[in-house]
Amino acid sequence: MKNSIAERVNDFIKNYPPFNSIKPDNLLKISGQVSIIYLDKGDSLFKKGDSFHDHFYMTRNGAITLFHTSNNNTQEIINISDGGDVFGLRPLIAKENYKLTATANEESIVYAIPIDVFQSVTQDNAQVQKFLITAFATNTYDPYTAEETGKIFVDYLPNTSQDIVNFQTANFSKNPITCSLNSSLKDAAISMSKHRIGCIIVVNEENHPVGIITNSDIKNKIATGRFPIETQVTNIMNSPVITSKKDITVADGQLQMIKHSIGHLCITKDGTVNSKLIGVLTHHDVLVTLGNNPSVILKEIKRAKRTKTLRAARLKAETLIKSYLEQNIPLSHIIKLMAQINDAVSHRAVHIALKKMPSKPPVKFAWMALGSQGRKEQLLFTDQDNAIIFEDVPEDQYEETKNYFLDLAKLVNKSLNKIGFEYCEADMMARNPEWCKSLTEWKNQFDNWILNPDEKAILLSSIFFDFSTVYGDETLTSRLSDSIYATLNKTQLFFKFLGRDALKNPSPLGFFKQFLVEKNGDQKDLFNIKSRALMPLIDAARLLTLSNKIKGVNSTYERYEKLAELEPNNKELYESCSYAFKALSKFKTKQGLLHNNSGKFIEIGTLTKEEQLKLRRCFKPINEIQETLTLRFDLKNFV
Amino acid sequence: MGLFDIFKKKKNFPEFWVDYLSHFKNKKDAAVPETRFIAFDTETTGFDMQEDRILSIGAVSFIGKKIDVNNTLELYLKQDVFKPETVEIHGLMRSDNVDKISEQEAIRAFLEYIKGDILIAHHAGFDKGMINEMLHRHGLGKLKNRFIDTGVLYKRSLHVIYQNNTKPYSLDYLCKELNVPMVDRHTATGDALITALVFLKILGRLDKKKHLNWGYLLNR
């Protein structure tokens, strides 16, 4: 019988993954079994700890917020599912209780997709499986769930900030050691010990793998006396072997091993047992490949002796980041990771430069990262913004000391440039004598900016107030922070200037809720996501952090999280700001990767309606935070 | 037809009609969230209850806030009278490539689907009238189900000062006010689903005002 509603459901879901990679006939089978659920604002679809449903869900209209509730009952937004997003995927992967709570952010209509029907038509669809695993990791991953162990898919979830699985092809051992069907176990064992290997493959005349003998077989079947040592290998080998093609991914390899509870996969020419053996993928190989991850890159950086090695390592990290973005790994994670790598690179660059200097530094100093690197939000290569702070010295030694550090800075700036961080156009680099100063000079400099704010001071402070120590003595920067907060206590005017600056970027949406695009120039009709959406959030976070005297929290989303902690009555706003910042950064980075630029300018017309909606949703907190600033710092009449 | 005839005829009622009537014996109200509702809509050849005929009936049923797509009703009726001018609105052609059934079969399927549960329609009077007229043509009685009209219910859900007697409260207007996506508008099943969503949204609002009870819904 004709079912128009099923057809309309079908028309909608077929546009979105994973349904877009399902064949039309199969898709119609699913659509016919969907339930349509209406949720009022605040209605929960499932709560943390609820037993799993027979359905997973796709948002049709509205938005569903996924929360993680921690033990002390604080809620953290993990994701917001808009039209076309799937969620509640846990029952697809593991039959266990929900870990998150799904609540309607606004009035919503949700499609409930029956899991049995879905699985019956998709079990052989690798694309669908891959999407679901990634989507699941995105929706659930957060530091709390990562601590769980022993779950089937734990290997697919990032369990430390440095250990995120990638889908690269596994590196298997070629030219495996084999023996023939009629060799004795003793001969095989001799061969194994000669080659220092833990397993041997038994092959037939055509070199097709027939069985495998591992150390544990020898332990369990020979050493226990069950078989004599001269027995034929065919008596004790494990047969048949599990085989695979040579382009198997790490994830697949691992999955096969878990599924068959084995430690070795035979790689054959066509992937079946009836073709030539070309290699063996061992559990150890998988672990080694998994090792090709940020922690390995970090190690490489820390051991680098030359700038060239640093550049190679940084480029490797870049590729890794791209693949993480494609896999929808949470952005807060990627940001943290990249911050660590960038800091390590700068740290090592300073270290290498110090080695090149004729003498040791005359006094203690610190290398500071400024701007986005200082905020630890640099994802792709950008300009370098940095400065040096050194201990106060008697006047007669000042000239000499300063020259030493300027020389050092020249070396570091040069090598950073070589690594890929371009010179700053405004020359905000440590090699500029203006930004290579003693502690007292810096204190005076900041005091001057704070007490005599003008256009230039505000512009510079937006870069300099986000400093963080990359190398050297942290007590210097810490004393500088203390001095800054002491001076900030004396004046309110500076906050007003910062506030005005934070508001100078006009709201992203016009009166008629249209996107405000650039009016002229090369970027005419493009939407500037950086200045209209990201900068207001960054500026507001900085101002609020300074006025709340928060020390040592530099990244924008962490600043909002900290603010949410400090001001419980504004918690919701700050949390949505933190979320909006992450979502917008991801947007920008993805656009950047897509068009091979900074991603700053977006052509609104090329976005899907859902993407536009997502963008708009992020703008709401921007307006709200700007209103908060206006009220708090009394900016209404401050022009 | 006299009173006597009705009693005489009762014995000849088809079984499905007797089954249908049996749903109303000893029927008790369950709580609203556990009650089965049926939102339905008819597409007709016109607005004259005597002259015009039902082209199609669409219905969706739900308990709570969940509508199962595999349990919807979609009927297309064979036409003796065909009016070309209605094709424009409903897009239903006489030779359209759908399975069509006779009025008798349609009545039977519809009654089996609705049982004794509560019917929801927008401007319910018209749809009710068309169905009753069809039942009458086949010598059957009127629908016994209780009706909720989403237009009336919506108006009643507004504060008295916002109610507007001149406003028609059309389905289109409600969709806009309540932010219901207008998909497949002017097909029976599409409108039935829209009506169901409109109803659920009004219920959500009533729930907030603590008005969610039978007396209010059925205007008793």
Side-chain angles (χ1 to χ4, degrees):
Chain A
M1 199 173 71
K2 186 176 159 68
N3 188 339
S4 310
I5 297 179
E7 284 166 24
R8 291 301 90 82
V9 170
N10 197 65
D11 285 347
F12 180 77
I13 64 174
K14 73 176 183 205
N15 299 319
Y16 300 94
F19 302 104
N20 56 4
S21 32
I22 297 176
K23 286 202 204 86
D25 314 355
N26 284 338
L27 195 55
L28 211 53
K29 277 185 212 156
I30 298 173
S31 312
Q33 301 299 321
V34 160
S35 296
I36 303 169
I37 297 175
Y38 163 76
L39 294 170
D40 222 335
K41 183 179 177 173
D43 281 358
S44 290
L45 200 53
F46 52 82
K47 290 200 169 98
K48 184 190 177 187
D50 283 3
S51 61
F52 61 90
H53 296 176
D54 301 331
H55 298 85
F56 68 97
Y57 301 97
M58 176 180 255
T59 311
R60 171 67 178 87
N61 295 95
I64 306 295
T65 310
L66 294 163
F67 291 105
H68 179 274
T69 321
S70 61
N71 295 334
N72 54 10
N73 252 341
T74 51
Q75 290 192 323
E76 189 193 354
I77 298 176
I78 301 298
N79 203 351
I80 296 179
S81 284
D82 295 290
D85 291 344
V86 288
F87 63 98
L89 301 171
R90 186 168 291 272
L92 269 175
I93 313 259
K95 299 287 181 210
E96 55 186 27
N97 294 351
Y98 288 106
K99 294 264 189 296
L100 301 175
T101 300
T103 300
N105 204 16
E106 53 194 75
E107 258 188 343
S108 305
I109 295 167
V110 169
Y111 289 158
I113 294 120
I115 288 171
D116 48 352
V117 184
F118 180 78
Q119 279 177 336
S120 73
V121 303
T122 59
Q123 52 194 356
D124 300 325
N125 191 328
Q127 241 177 314
V128 169
Q129 301 302 337
K130 203 162 155 180
F131 170 80
L132 288 174
I133 289 172
T134 322
F136 177 68
T138 323
N139 273 352
T140 44
Y141 178 72
D142 68 292
Y144 308 98
T145 48
E147 281 160 19
E148 294 163 22
T149 47
K151 297 273 156 19
I152 317 174
F153 277 88
V154 80
D155 293 306
Y156 289 90
L157 298 175
N159 31 25
T160 73
S161 65
Q162 291 148 15
D163 190 38
I164 299 170
V165 167
N166 44 56
F167 285 92
Q168 63 201 120
T169 319
N171 232 336
F172 57 88
S173 322
K174 288 160 194 98
N175 304 321
I177 304 305
T178 59
C179 64
S180 66
L181 286 167
N182 46 23
S183 34
S184 73
L185 187 269
K186 191 179 171 187
D187 291 340
I190 290 170
S191 174
M192 283 165 73
S193 90
K194 193 174 120 200
H195 292 99
R196 297 164 178 270
I197 49 165
C199 76
I200 192 162
I201 314 286
V202 182
V203 294
N204 63 15
E205 310 78 56
E206 294 158 280
N207 205 18
H208 296 175
V210 181
I212 182 169
I213 296 172
T214 66
N215 279 344
S216 62
D217 293 321
I218 297 175
K219 180 183 78 191
N220 295 334
K221 294 173 188 167
I222 305 296
T224 53
R226 277 171 60 202
F227 290 91
I229 192 163
E230 295 290 351
T231 190
Q232 213 173 321
V233 284
T234 43
N235 288 333
I236 69 156
M237 70 183 181
N238 299 296
S239 181
V241 291
I242 308 299
T243 54
S244 168
K245 275 194 262 192
K246 67 170 189 284
D247 53 359
I248 186 170
T249 63
V250 182
D252 273 350
Q254 203 173 20
L255 199 62
Q256 291 288 334
M257 289 181 190
I258 294 169
K259 201 165 140 195
H260 301 285
S261 57
I262 51 166
H264 303 81
L265 277 179
C266 289
I267 311 293
T268 60
K269 211 167 168 203
D270 69 357
T272 70
V273 286
N274 299 317
S275 70
K276 258 188 170 172
L277 178 72
I278 52 175
V280 173
L281 179 70
T282 67
H283 194 234
H284 181 251
D285 292 330
V286 169
L287 291 181
V288 168
T289 321
L290 288 177
N292 191 7
N293 64 12
S295 62
V296 174
I297 297 177
L298 271 175
K299 244 181 223 155
E300 223 171 290
I301 292 170
K302 281 179 188 154
R303 288 177 190 156
K305 295 212 165 59
R306 301 175 56 195
T307 311
K308 224 168 115 186
T309 330
L310 282 178
R311 176 170 170 76
R314 178 62 176 72
L315 280 174
K316 240 189 235 177
E318 190 103 327
T319 341
L320 209 61
I321 293 311
K322 278 182 194 166
S323 78
Y324 286 176
L325 278 168
E326 279 157 18
Q327 291 167 38
N328 269 325
I329 304 290
L331 194 85
S332 53
H333 239 67
I334 306 179
I335 291 179
K336 269 187 201 153
L337 205 69
M338 232 25 212
Q340 243 175 349
I341 286 176
N342 282 333
D343 278 2
V345 167
S346 307
H347 186 276
R348 198 64 195 172
V350 179
H351 182 87
I352 293 172
L354 275 172
K355 285 261 156 78
K356 286 186 193 157
M357 294 294 287
S359 62
K360 288 208 150 91
V363 289
K364 282 182 186 164
F365 78 102
W367 182 272
M368 298 190 288
L370 312 170
S372 63
Q373 200 197 337
R375 281 195 306 274
K376 304 189 186 296
E377 288 166 3
Q378 228 172 27
L379 274 175
L380 307 171
F381 281 123
T382 49
D383 294 0
Q384 42 171 311
D385 295 319
N386 41 50
I388 279 182
I389 177 169
F390 55 86
E391 234 176 354
D392 290 324
V393 288
E395 215 170 311
D396 57 320
Q397 290 167 26
Y398 177 81
E399 200 63 31
E400 197 189 331
T401 314
K402 180 154 182 162
N403 283 336
Y404 176 91
F405 285 117
L406 280 174
D407 287 345
L408 175 69
K410 271 177 206 152
L411 285 174
V412 178
N413 287 145
K414 199 172 150 197
S415 70
L416 284 177
N417 186 45
K418 231 166 142 188
I419 291 164
F421 299 97
E422 296 210 9
Y423 290 126
C424 171
E425 275 175 43
D427 211 19
M428 277 184 232
M429 293 182 289
R431 69 174 187 190
N432 181 343
E434 250 191 285
W435 313 129
C436 176
K437 293 181 180 189
S438 70
L439 177 57
T440 308
E441 283 179 305
W442 273 120
K443 281 181 181 169
N444 293 339
Q445 176 68 71
F446 274 96
D447 287 355
N448 188 27
W449 283 332
I450 294 167
L451 298 173
N452 309 305
D454 57 21
E455 284 290 318
K456 194 184 163 219
I458 294 299
L459 188 73
L460 289 173
S461 58
S462 74
I463 290 162
F464 281 89
F465 276 82
D466 295 331
F467 61 83
S468 71
T469 323
V470 166
Y471 187 99
D473 191 16
E474 287 194 26
T475 53
L476 288 172
T477 41
S478 173
R479 276 156 72 192
L480 179 58
S481 293
D482 293 341
S483 150
I484 289 171
Y485 281 118
T487 315
L488 283 173
N489 268 342
K490 294 180 202 157
T491 173
Q492 280 296 313
L493 192 64
F494 181 66
F495 289 140
K496 288 201 171 202
F497 268 94
L498 278 188
R500 191 180 66 175
D501 195 55
L503 298 182
K504 74 162 189 274
N505 288 302
S507 137
L509 291 181
F511 185 73
F512 298 106
K513 298 257 169 163
Q514 81 281 31
F515 287 95
L516 286 178
V517 293
E518 301 303 302
K519 288 272 181 323
N520 36 38
D522 283 354
Q523 316 299 346
K524 191 167 184 295
D525 295 334
L526 294 181
F527 179 75
N528 187 337
I529 190 172
K530 190 178 176 199
S531 77
R532 287 201 193 258
L534 283 166
M535 286 317 288
L537 284 172
I538 294 172
D539 288 340
R542 181 187 310 109
L543 170 55
L544 290 164
T545 313
L546 286 173
S547 69
N548 272 301
K549 305 197 174 31
I550 301 169
K551 244 173 83 174
V553 185
N554 269 10
S555 79
T556 301
Y557 74 91
E558 281 175 337
R559 281 176 168 170
Y560 281 118
E561 279 163 20
K562 185 82 195 168
L563 286 164
E565 220 173 276
L566 291 177
E567 296 176 28
N569 51 340
N570 285 327
K571 191 165 168 273
E572 207 174 318
L573 170 61
Y574 291 144
E575 271 172 359
S576 48
C577 283
S578 168
Y579 181 83
F581 177 79
K582 284 188 269 188
L584 289 165
S585 311
K586 189 165 178 176
F587 220 97
K588 172 171 174 268
T589 316
K590 275 196 162 172
Q591 286 280 322
L593 288 174
L594 197 66
H595 303 295
N596 240 335
N597 56 23
S598 69
K600 214 160 123 179
F601 292 99
I602 293 176
E603 206 176 323
I604 295 294
T606 63
L607 300 180
T608 63
K609 206 169 167 223
E610 263 66 34
E611 286 173 316
Q612 294 194 20
L613 253 173
K614 232 172 198 167
L615 261 183
R616 276 169 202 268
R617 204 186 303 288
C618 292
F619 295 158
K620 214 177 132 203
I622 299 180
N623 285 339
E624 284 174 20
I625 198 83
Q626 289 192 332
E627 277 166 31
T628 308
L629 292 186
T630 314
L631 281 176
R632 183 170 303 185
F633 300 100
D634 194 14
L635 299 172
K636 196 131 218 169
N637 303 313
F638 182 77
V639 198
Chain B
M1 219 189 303
L3 193 67
F4 182 68
D5 290 336
I6 294 175
F7 280 111
K8 203 174 91 185
K9 224 176 167 186
K10 194 173 180 182
K11 289 196 181 103
N12 299 330
F13 279 148
E15 203 175 318
F16 67 80
W17 180 255
V18 180
D19 280 349
Y20 168 68
L21 291 180
S22 72
H23 291 300
F24 295 93
K25 282 175 194 153
N26 307 322
K27 190 161 174 66
K28 283 199 183 95
D29 286 339
V32 177
E34 278 105 52
T35 301
R36 181 171 181 259
F37 291 96
I38 294 110
F40 80 105
D41 185 55
T42 58
E43 301 301 332
T44 61
T45 55
F47 297 109
D48 187 318
M49 292 204 194
Q50 263 80 43
E51 291 297 314
D52 283 306
R53 292 289 182 268
I54 296 177
L55 287 163
S56 70
I57 303 174
V60 301
S61 71
F62 53 95
I63 298 171
K65 294 175 174 184
K66 193 167 145 192
I67 303 165
D68 291 326
V69 175
N70 63 1
N71 187 20
T72 56
L73 186 76
E74 190 162 342
L75 304 172
Y76 296 90
L77 281 70
K78 283 183 194 146
Q79 296 304 316
D80 309 325
V81 196
F82 182 73
K83 285 167 81 180
E85 59 266 32
T86 54
V87 171
E88 235 172 274
I89 304 178
H90 308 308
L92 279 177
M93 305 281 283
R94 187 155 46 171
S95 59
D96 234 356
N97 197 16
V98 288
D99 289 337
K100 294 205 180 103
I101 54 174
S102 67
E103 276 200 344
Q104 173 92 8
E105 287 168 308
I107 291 170
R108 183 189 177 134
F110 182 68
L111 294 179
E112 273 170 11
Y113 185 77
I114 63 170
K115 301 196 176 76
D117 299 315
I118 295 177
L119 294 176
I120 298 161
H122 194 75
H123 296 159
F126 176 72
D127 298 291
K128 188 181 183 178
M130 286 305 288
I131 301 256
N132 279 338
E133 218 29 69
M134 179 166 74
L135 291 171
H136 182 70
R137 278 199 294 279
H138 292 266
L140 301 168
K142 290 182 174 175
L143 285 176
K144 304 280 185 288
N145 304 61
R146 281 177 294 182
F147 269 82
I148 294 175
D149 186 318
T150 38
V152 175
L153 186 66
Y154 177 75
K155 188 177 161 193
R156 201 160 62 237
S157 74
L158 299 176
H159 188 281
V160 115
I161 59 166
Y162 297 116
Q163 289 182 4
N164 185 340
N165 283 327
T166 56
K167 235 184 216 161
Y169 294 110
S170 68
L171 194 52
D172 283 333
Y173 175 79
L174 260 60
C175 282
K176 251 181 237 145
E177 283 297 296
L178 297 168
N179 193 22
V180 172
M182 285 197 265
V183 181
D184 265 352
R185 184 84 177 85
H186 296 304
T187 68
T189 323
D191 280 356
L193 179 63
I194 290 171
T195 307
L197 292 171
V198 162
F199 177 72
L200 283 172
K201 290 206 171 192
I202 300 173
L203 278 197
R205 280 161 177 69
L206 291 178
D207 198 13
K208 268 177 214 141
K209 293 186 202 159
K210 309 279 175 231
H211 276 160
L212 194 52
N213 56 55
W214 286 119
Y216 191 90
L217 285 180
L218 299 167
N219 202 17
R220 300 200 278 224

